[in-house]
Amino acid sequence: HIVPQDKIRPDLFKGSDRVFKRIDWAGLHRKKVNAHKSAEKMKVITKRLVHRESKKRDKLKELGIAYDFPGYQESNKAFPVQDGASKEKSDASEDKKGKET
C-alpha cells in the first residue's frame, strides 16, 4: 500500500458503487426554450424584439440606407398573442381525449 491504513478515512470511496448517469443538457435546454410561454412573457419578448428592431431601423436611417423590411411589429399584428393559461387548458383537454380512446 502506498498510503498507510491509519491515514485512510472510512468515507474515502463513498458513492463509488453508483453508476454515472449522463445528463442530456441539450435536451433540457431545448425543453426550456421550447416551453409554452405565458401572455405576459410573450409581451416582454415582443417588446424587446420591437425595441431592438427600431434601433436597427434608426441606425440604417442614420447611415443613409433606405431599407424597409417587415419586422416584428408587423408580424405581431398578424398573429395575436394567445394566453398561456388557455393554451395549457386546451393541451390538457387534448391529453384526456387521447387517453379515453
Side-chain angles (χ1 to χ4, degrees):
H1 295 283
I2 296 173
V3 181
Q5 288 289 10
D6 60 330
K7 297 284 185 180
I8 297 175
R9 58 184 195 279
D11 61 342
L12 181 65
F13 295 105
K14 183 178 180 182
S16 64
D17 57 340
R18 260 185 25 185
V19 178
F20 180 75
K21 192 174 182 182
R22 185 168 178 239
I23 298 173
D24 182 18
W25 292 108
L28 290 174
H29 185 68
R30 188 180 318 110
K31 280 184 181 180
K32 181 181 176 185
V33 168
N34 294 335
H36 291 288
K37 293 163 183 69
S38 66
E40 292 129 17
K41 182 71 175 172
M42 286 304 295
K43 284 180 186 176
V44 169
I45 292 170
T46 306
K47 184 178 178 183
R48 184 176 25 206
L49 287 171
V50 169
H51 176 71
R52 287 181 187 161
E53 182 181 280
S54 68
K55 287 176 74 174
K56 287 177 188 175
R57 287 179 190 270
D58 292 342
K59 184 74 171 177
L60 287 171
K61 194 180 293 183
E62 193 177 290
L63 294 172
I65 301 171
Y67 183 68
D68 189 31
F69 55 94
Y72 295 110
Q73 186 103 20
E74 293 301 318
S75 65
N76 190 27
K77 291 176 186 173
F79 301 103
V81 176
Q82 183 179 0
D83 185 19
S86 63
K87 176 72 176 164
E88 290 171 6
K89 287 180 186 176
S90 66
D91 288 345
S93 64
E94 289 174 5
D95 289 342
K96 288 180 183 177
K97 289 178 186 174
K99 288 180 183 176
E100 290 174 0
T101 57

